[in-house]
Amino acid sequence: MLNPDHSLNPAFALEMRGISKSFAGVRALSDVTVRVQQNHIHALIGENGAGKSTLMKILDGVYPAGTFEGQIFLRDRPVRLGSPFDARQQGIGYVPQEIGVIEGLTIAENIFVGRWNEEGGVIVDFQRLFTRAAELLDTMKIQLDPRVQVVTLNASQRQLVMIARALAARPSVLILDEATACLTLDETRNLFRVVRRLRGQALTTIFITHKMSELFEIADSATILRDGTVAAEFERAQFDEHEIVAAMVGRTIENYYPVRESAVSDREVFRVEELTVPHPHLAHRNVVDGVSFSLRRGEILGIGGLVGSGRSETVNALYGRLPHRGRIFVEGRETLVRNPREAKAHGLGLLTEDRKLDGLLFNFAIRENVTLHDLPQVSRLRVLDRAHETACAAHYLQQLSIRAPSVQTPVANLSGGNQQKVVLAKVLFPKPRVLFLDEPTKGVDVGAKNEIYKLMMGLAGQGIALVVISSELPELLALADRIVVLARGRIVDEFNKQEASEQRFMLAATGGANSHLSN
Amino acid sequence: MKFLRKLWAIPEAGIFVPLLVFTLVFFCLNQSFLEPNSVAAMLRAMTFVGIIAVGQTWLMIAGGIDLSVGSVAGLCAIVSSWLMKTQGLPVEAGLLAGLAVGFMAGLVNGLIVVRFGIPAFIATLGMLYVARGLNYLLCQGYPIYPIPDPLKDLGRAEPLGLSWAFVAFVLLAGIGDFALRRTVYGRMVYATGGNVEVARIAGINTAWVQIGCYMLTGAMAAVAGMLLMSQLNVGQPEIGVGWELDVIASVVIGGVSLFGGVGTVVGTFLGLLIMQVVRSGLVVTGVNTHWQTVAVGVIMVTAVGVDLLRRRTKIS
Ligand SMILES: Nc1ncnc2c1ncn2[C@@H]1O[C@H](COP(=O)(O)OP(=O)(O)OP(=O)(O)O)[C@@H](O)[C@H]1O
Ligand SMILES: [Mg+2]
């Protein structure tokens, strides 16, 4: 108010100046300054553990004023954010990296959580609430029924609910912390359209992603964080993939997608015939319907498809987590997989889609999480061998470049991408024969992705068969020897690496959904 | 300063520090508080609740809770004394039968909770009534005595100025602590309590981990009940009345999370000590004895509060 002219036309919509923050002696951010111009979509890029989420939590008041050094300015006005509530009052909308929906409530209640009525009042007017939610979802082009309970939604739908929740408050600054990590291509494009439209209506966005293509598609400017400091700043005109990646990881990456050197053997290790998974709530509907495929030793099979195509359900059923029909053969012998225990006994492994929900034990440190799937290997006469356990975990810490002070760091203290690497280490530890990987590189930075790809090639070289689900199409096309495309629970196309292309994939994935029209 | 900060970072610190403070305060108020006799009396007093608390620690870390422990302890004592006295069974058989009843009660609790999905709070509250009722049905409400001589001698013996029951407690606590922290089975207990789904994906039979912990708790209740019986020299139907509250209070004071996945037997041991120190301390300072009960309540809530605070300061 001191300088009205200035606040009418501020230089920056947002400035975080000289921010430093430590956790129990470990420095996460030191002297970071980020400036974002009004109506810009500003990307925040950096390796796992670089400090992106920490910076955003400061901006959202999760880490309140006083627990960090530095200052925050909104439209050139210094603000003091003591809590997420303060941030909301200041017009900051935050979509955190970890999805935090309330499962027992409906979509509408989640979107307007805490503000269920427009004009206060004790009794919630549900009719009105559902209409408001429907309108909001409609403007975002999200096809979800606001009356549906969130517990029935999958990860990407939950993410959309979180985004809708942030937008419902009509923020002037929107923070998207890896919001696209579990969205499909279509949903991501849709989100970009919405954000672009709102940019025209004075919305400033901070956008965190590990996908370079998204950075090029949408960002107006970018700040690169590295080890808690600003490594570089770019305007859109100067964007250059090599420079950005180099600033981010401190080296250049050759062969981002490694080329397969080992040959796939002819021996079949796994086969499924007519896998059918009934819908959990609706009778006479199947989420997976007659899916059959076989895997050879050392083969990487990609499963592609849009949301609701039954990809995750397929691998979860094969791992014994969902009731299913169909025949499963491991090493040529027919086997029953009625629960995860039996699946594991047959040498199957599963990396689940949502690390927070069913990926990690947050009451444990890295070490205990890594060894959980094969306790006999780290014990003698049922007594755990701590030294051996530490050594095993330390091996993965190094191999997957997990950024943590030691293997005894609680996983709760790790950045999202580093948690993901721990989940990967966990499923690799028992040396499975067949490994189902549901979005294995979700939230992992480019450098580490490259490492993980090499690792996967290495595993395939050792004869382990991999089934990979990924919403990142280039990743899927580059890694998989063979791809099956699912739509509405059925296989609609199957092709080898040589025949693979984005067009063919998209055609199958979307065309398959209404193939009954063309037939 | 640095030392203090390190101390604060140890999980059991939230309870060890107040324990030290209380002990010092009571010692200053009345020097006789730390005399050997008085210490021995304190240790003996926490024996029976302590034995059960070891089992309850395992169970609560696995994500369950058992409110029936006091009643089950009473039932086991009555069943074994009834078999020995009225039915003339040999001592060993009587004790084994008592233990079996404890296991069975735990098994039933576990099956009802895990297989039928009835909340542990309700299922074991039901068992609390059922066991107490069976107890009175069996003995008609009258104490059963005398119990056989070997048992009587066992209960009277005073090794090291303590009791065999206390020796049993220390042994069980030691084994319980080691097994929980260092064995595969203990790790499975933490994993199950931490996140059942993650544990299941890891191939752990979470149902049996939980049922096993209920059975362990039932068995510990049986042991405690029968040891008290031997010490009293009578199968008293009131054995174990109200124990469940002391057991749960000490486990919670010791840092076990009600949501499972967190805690240690050492923590529980410190929890038991703090409750006993405050109780005995208030006695030696001559305060009205009913203040003890008030104090236990206050301490339990404070302990949980301090623990929350400790966790929060560690995070940010
Ligand atoms: N609660 C915490 N306690 C201790 N250390 C923490 C805590 N939260 C974050 N850190 C540490 O701070 C650093 C920055 O973490 P942050 O979550 O900001 O990374 P990020 O850039 O968002 O990474 P990602 O891409 O993996 O999400 C990491 O080294 C992390 O281990
Ligand atoms: Mg992050």
Side-chain angles (χ1 to χ4, degrees), chain B residues 268-291:
Chain B
T268 296
F269 186 75
L270 294 176
L272 285 159
L273 271 180
I274 208 168
M275 289 209 347
Q276 200 53 50
V277 161
V278 170
R279 282 195 167 142
S280 308
L282 289 177
V283 172
V284 297
T285 48
V287 181
N288 182 328
T289 45
H290 294 301
W291 281 109

Side-chain angles (χ1 to χ4, degrees), chain A residues 22-24 26-29 46-57 63 97-98 177-178 208 210 225 355 403-405 409 412-419 443-445, chain B residues 314-316:
Chain A
S22 306
F23 294 103
V26 181
R27 191 125 231 191
L29 292 171
E47 283 182 296
N48 296 131
K52 306 178 294 293
S53 299
T54 305
L55 193 65
M56 292 304 101
K57 283 181 189 161
Y63 300 136
Q97 185 171 7
E98 307 299 338
D177 193 348
E178 297 192 30
I208 299 180
H210 287 296
L225 284 186
R355 58 178 172 263
R403 188 174 300 230
T409 308
N413 292 357
L414 297 182
S415 77
N418 285 304
Q419 289 178 354
V444 173
D445 69 53
Chain B
K314 211 170 117 196
I315 289 167
S316 52

Side-chain angles (χ1 to χ4, degrees), chain A residues 29-343:
Chain A
L29 292 171
S30 54
D31 196 20
V32 169
T33 298
V34 174
R35 298 192 180 88
V36 184
Q37 285 175 37
Q38 184 69 41
N39 296 13
H40 260 204
I41 297 174
H42 187 83
L44 200 55
I45 308 288
E47 283 182 296
N48 296 131
K52 306 178 294 293
S53 299
T54 305
L55 193 65
M56 292 304 101
K57 283 181 189 161
I58 287 173
L59 182 53
D60 190 57
V62 176
Y63 300 136
T67 62
F68 62 91
E69 292 145 46
Q71 276 180 302
I72 302 173
F73 301 86
L74 288 174
R75 301 169 71 85
D76 294 347
R77 207 163 34 83
V79 287
R80 206 187 123 82
L81 303 170
S83 68
F85 181 78
D86 284 358
R88 222 61 77 239
Q89 297 289 308
Q90 298 286 348
I92 291 170
Y94 178 44
V95 180
Q97 185 171 7
E98 307 299 338
I99 298 173
V101 285
I102 308 171
E103 293 196 331
L105 299 185
T106 60
I107 291 179
E109 287 167 289
N110 263 285
I111 291 177
F112 293 104
V113 67
R115 292 170 290 114
W116 293 297
N117 283 338
E118 281 158 306
E119 288 104 28
V122 181
I123 297 165
V124 176
D125 178 352
F126 273 96
Q127 228 38 55
R128 183 78 197 104
L129 182 69
F130 289 139
T131 331
R132 282 160 71 207
E135 283 166 5
L136 180 70
L137 291 172
D138 199 47
T139 60
M140 294 172 63
K141 299 267 184 308
I142 298 174
Q143 272 136 22
L144 285 175
D145 179 356
R147 293 156 202 271
V148 167
Q149 293 246 317
V150 166
V151 70
T152 63
L153 302 186
N154 65 23
S156 78
Q157 293 166 323
R158 287 173 188 219
Q159 181 71 66
L160 292 174
V161 171
M162 291 294 288
I163 296 170
R165 176 194 291 179
L167 286 177
R170 300 183 188 284
S172 54
V173 175
L174 175 67
I175 305 168
L176 297 172
D177 193 348
E178 297 192 30
T180 55
C182 55
L183 295 189
T184 59
L185 224 50
D186 259 1
E187 288 166 333
T188 302
R189 285 204 187 116
N190 206 352
L191 174 66
F192 285 176
R193 264 198 291 277
V194 173
V195 172
R196 277 205 199 93
R197 197 182 69 231
L198 292 173
R199 174 172 59 181
Q201 300 164 17
L203 178 75
T204 305
T205 306
I206 299 187
F207 180 73
I208 299 180
T209 187
H210 287 296
K211 300 178 191 172
M212 286 298 135
S213 56
E214 295 180 352
L215 171 76
F216 285 93
E217 187 171 344
I218 191 147
D220 299 309
S221 49
T223 298
I224 319 294
L225 284 186
R226 183 165 148 66
D227 286 336
T229 59
V230 175
E233 288 171 303
F234 295 94
E235 285 298 318
R236 184 167 185 92
Q238 315 154 342
F239 278 2
D240 173 88
E241 177 148 5
H242 273 286
E243 271 181 48
I244 290 178
V245 171
M248 192 174 144
V249 300
R251 64 191 158 93
T252 50
I253 296 177
E254 308 294 330
N255 306 328
Y256 181 57
Y257 293 115
V259 185
R260 173 154 199 150
E261 274 152 19
S262 54
V264 179
S265 104
D266 285 334
R267 228 179 82 214
E268 177 190 278
V269 280
F270 183 88
R271 183 168 88 244
V272 54
E273 288 176 2
E274 292 294 318
L275 180 77
T276 300
V277 181
H279 193 282
H281 308 295
L282 305 177
H284 313 299
R285 252 195 72 189
N286 297 326
V287 282
V288 178
D289 202 351
V291 164
S292 310
F293 60 81
S294 88
L295 286 170
R296 289 168 295 162
R297 275 175 57 94
E299 185 175 33
I300 303 180
L301 175 76
I303 299 187
L306 307 178
V307 162
S309 60
R311 301 173 303 177
S312 293
E313 287 81 358
T314 303
V315 293
N316 277 297
L318 292 176
Y319 195 69
R321 294 188 71 204
L322 294 175
H324 58 268
R325 294 190 300 274
R327 305 174 72 187
I328 295 173
F329 299 83
V330 179
E331 300 278 7
R333 232 177 317 141
E334 178 157 15
T335 34
L336 283 177
V337 182
R338 287 166 301 195
N339 54 45
R341 205 155 17 102
E342 290 181 342

Side-chain angles (χ1 to χ4, degrees), chain A residues 24, chain B residues 4-18 253-256 262-263 302-316:
Chain B
L4 278 183
R5 192 175 278 166
K6 253 197 189 144
L7 196 68
W8 190 239
I10 301 171
E12 280 82 18
I15 164 95
F16 192 67
V17 173
I253 292 175
V256 174
V262 177
T302 315
V304 174
V306 168
D307 194 43
L308 283 179
L309 191 73
R310 195 184 60 80
R311 270 170 230 219
R312 199 163 315 150
T313 51
K314 211 170 117 196
I315 289 167
S316 52

